[in-house]
Amino acid sequence: MFYQLYEFNHAMMAPWRATADAMRLAYANPLNPLSHTYFGRAAAAGLEVFERMTRRYGKPEFGLPETIVDEQTVQVREKIVWRQPFCNLIHFERALPKGRASDPKVLIVAPMSGHYATLLRGTVEALLPHSDIYITDWIDARTVPLTEGTFDLNDYIDYVIEILHFLGPDTHVIAVCQPAVPVLAAVAVMEGNDDPLSPASMTLMGGPIDTRINPTAVNQLAKDKPIKWFQDNVVMQVPFPQPGFLRPVYPGFLQLSGFMSMNLDRHLTATKDFFEHLVKNDGDAAEKHRDFYDEYMAVMDLTAEFYLQTVEVVFMRHALPKGEMMHRNQRVDTTAIRKVALLTVEGENDDISGVGQTKAAQTICTNIPEDMRMHYMQPDVGHYGVFNGSRFRREIAPRIVAFQRQHSRRAKPVGRVIKGGKQA
């Protein structure tokens, strides 16, 4: 009944949250003399902190209406081009000049690990000037009726293969964090079946390919607990009146509490700083806090079967690096990958996927030619910095673009010139 209790508590807090928001507006109104005093600013700041801590954050928007292509501003339109019960495929359609040569077609597979695909807004924004971008937009499991069936790791791999078939030849795929395993598995299955629509390249970023290497706190939890513990303690049924009523899920609010507990002191400090920025009328710093936590606090439920299978296969059995992973009735053989170029990217301070876990893909994909593989480790960034932020835009994104252009099956090979950072 824990999920039901959470929903009841959220509903019970609604009038208090509305009252706090109304009082905040009153204290912050410039016509109110108190708004110009320390007391008024502190009261408004405290009320906003309370309202934000008790609200449910909805799915954010990408908010990318335009980009720069060839030093010119062009309009961008989000368009859903492929639909399944648990995923939509979004195309960021750019209004390019007629006759301009097409850019590489890139599929970004977003994590299905609690946050929405908009967590990769910065990734999309950085690559959009150079690439024709598609991204998987995973659906909150609590909104999917039971009549739509189940969704597990095998279905995830099937979705990736179906999308690559939909996009056609010479597609480049990028997997950020959790999907590194299913994307690598999907490519291995396609190559094992001699599929002509296998991607031209795959980029794996901060993913748990082999969690035996430099295990993190997340990896250790899965190692210390049996799968039965996860079934009994984190799997719950969606409560009424949600569309997914009675569907067994790993709830988003449990995932969020786990995320925050890993760096609780950092989040408490950020909240205190936010309060002080509001009191000091430091609007820019306060807005940065709002933007980050509007994204960070927006979470979605995962189907129980997908979550439990991922925990068991990836974090407990380490089936992929051991060569024991199965997709349906077919063994996932990473040595079958021969024609797909491989780029792996890690962050030096990653506390989610430890250093070396993603690079392990280079070891198990033994038959990819040396001139079709590259590893890059970005200094001084954590997990989030692998796919977002200034260092991603300045150091990582250009390498991804160059790698994809070099290994496009329509292009002639060109020499690589990589400076800075650490690479192998």
Side-chain angles (χ1 to χ4, degrees):
M1 299 294 292
F2 194 64
Y3 203 152
Q4 288 82 352
L5 181 62
Y6 168 80
E7 291 288 312
F8 175 76
N9 180 69
H10 179 76
M12 186 177 65
M13 291 298 297
W16 294 97
R17 189 166 53 254
T19 301
D21 196 38
M23 292 176 65
R24 177 189 66 82
L25 292 173
Y27 276 111
N29 192 321
L31 298 179
N32 183 348
L34 287 176
S35 68
H36 304 288
T37 67
Y38 178 86
F39 172 79
R41 294 195 301 272
L47 290 164
E48 180 169 351
V49 169
F50 173 81
E51 190 278 330
R52 292 183 65 83
M53 289 179 66
T54 56
R55 76 162 69 160
R56 173 177 288 149
Y57 289 77
K59 180 182 177 182
E61 296 181 353
F62 277 100
L64 298 173
E66 59 186 30
T67 188
I68 304 295
V69 178
D70 298 338
E71 300 183 352
Q72 293 185 354
T73 299
V74 300
Q75 299 301 307
V76 177
R77 182 168 70 104
E78 290 181 37
K79 183 179 180 182
I80 297 175
V81 294
W82 181 91
R83 296 177 185 268
Q84 287 292 341
F86 293 91
C87 182
N88 292 327
L89 182 67
I90 296 177
H91 181 208
F92 292 89
E93 193 175 75
R94 302 170 301 168
L96 297 176
K98 291 183 179 179
R100 183 187 181 278
S102 60
D103 287 321
K105 190 165 37 180
V106 176
L107 167 64
I108 301 176
V109 182
M112 191 178 184
S113 55
H115 285 105
Y116 292 96
T118 50
L119 189 69
L120 303 188
R121 181 187 295 104
T123 315
V124 175
E125 186 176 22
L127 298 177
L128 202 52
H130 316 284
S131 310
D132 187 17
I133 300 292
Y134 297 78
I135 192 168
T136 56
D137 185 26
W138 302 104
I139 308 299
D140 188 346
R142 66 189 257 139
T143 67
V144 183
L146 272 175
T147 53
E148 295 291 355
T150 60
F151 182 86
D152 62 12
L153 187 56
N154 288 311
D155 297 310
Y156 194 120
I157 294 170
D158 287 339
Y159 273 29
V160 173
I161 295 173
E162 287 179 27
I163 292 172
L164 288 170
H165 284 177
F166 171 79
L167 295 178
D170 202 33
T171 298
H172 304 265
V173 61
I174 299 174
V176 180
C177 189
Q178 168 270 321
V181 170
V183 165
L184 181 55
V187 173
V189 169
M190 296 178 78
E191 286 279 78
N193 295 333
D194 200 24
D195 193 325
L197 296 179
S198 62
S201 76
M202 62 175 162
T203 301
L204 309 179
M205 306 172 64
I209 300 298
D210 190 346
T211 59
R212 296 172 297 179
I213 303 170
N214 290 325
T216 63
V218 175
N219 309 148
Q220 198 63 40
L221 175 64
K223 182 180 178 181
D224 293 343
K225 304 289 186 182
I227 195 67
K228 184 71 163 55
W229 183 90
F230 291 94
Q231 292 173 334
D232 294 341
N233 290 277
V234 303
V235 171
M236 304 173 188
Q237 289 185 325
V238 176
F240 182 82
Q242 299 299 325
F245 176 51
L246 295 181
R247 177 179 292 282
V249 297
Y250 176 29
F253 70 88
L254 276 187
Q255 299 168 67
L256 181 60
S257 63
F259 295 150
M260 299 196 72
S261 65
M262 292 177 60
N263 297 287
L264 185 58
D265 55 340
R266 187 184 305 170
H267 294 297
L268 291 175
T269 300
T271 302
K272 178 180 71 69
D273 291 344
F274 176 58
F275 174 85
E276 293 175 352
H277 292 319
L278 290 173
V279 173
K280 296 176 181 177
N281 278 330
D282 187 350
D284 290 342
E287 193 59 32
K288 287 181 181 178
H289 176 96
R290 293 189 189 99
D291 290 344
F292 176 80
Y293 279 96
D294 283 353
E295 189 74 57
Y296 189 81
M297 302 288 282
V299 290
M300 54 183 280
D301 293 358
L302 308 182
T303 62
E305 56 274 11
F306 169 78
Y307 172 73
L308 294 173
Q309 191 179 2
T310 299
V311 169
E312 184 175 13
V313 171
V314 177
F315 296 99
M316 291 183 174
R317 290 175 39 218
H318 314 288
L320 182 63
K322 288 182 177 179
E324 300 171 356
M325 184 174 178
M326 299 293 294
H327 171 61
R328 309 298 181 188
N329 296 318
Q330 179 179 354
R331 186 173 73 87
V332 177
D333 181 11
T334 55
T335 65
I337 304 175
R338 300 172 183 273
K339 299 177 294 183
V340 181
L342 173 63
L343 169 62
T344 50
V345 180
E346 295 181 331
E348 184 180 32
N349 303 324
D350 195 331
D351 60 351
I352 303 295
S353 296
V355 172
Q357 292 186 9
T358 311
K359 187 180 180 181
Q362 301 283 353
T363 303
I364 63 176
C365 297
T366 56
N367 288 321
I368 298 177
E370 286 300 317
D371 63 351
M372 292 177 60
R373 60 169 77 226
M374 186 176 81
H375 175 72
Y376 178 73
M377 198 271 284
Q378 175 63 46
D380 303 321
V381 301
H383 187 71
Y384 191 73
V386 172
F387 57 88
N388 218 329
S390 60
R391 287 191 177 92
F392 171 78
R393 293 190 296 271
R394 187 172 60 248
E395 301 289 341
I396 299 176
R399 286 171 165 81
I400 295 174
V401 172
F403 187 81
Q404 291 172 345
R405 291 184 181 275
Q406 177 181 355
H407 296 288
S408 172
R409 290 173 181 164
R410 297 177 300 173
K412 296 180 180 179
V414 295
R416 289 185 299 172
V417 178
I418 302 295
K419 299 179 180 179
K422 304 176 183 177
Q423 67 179 67

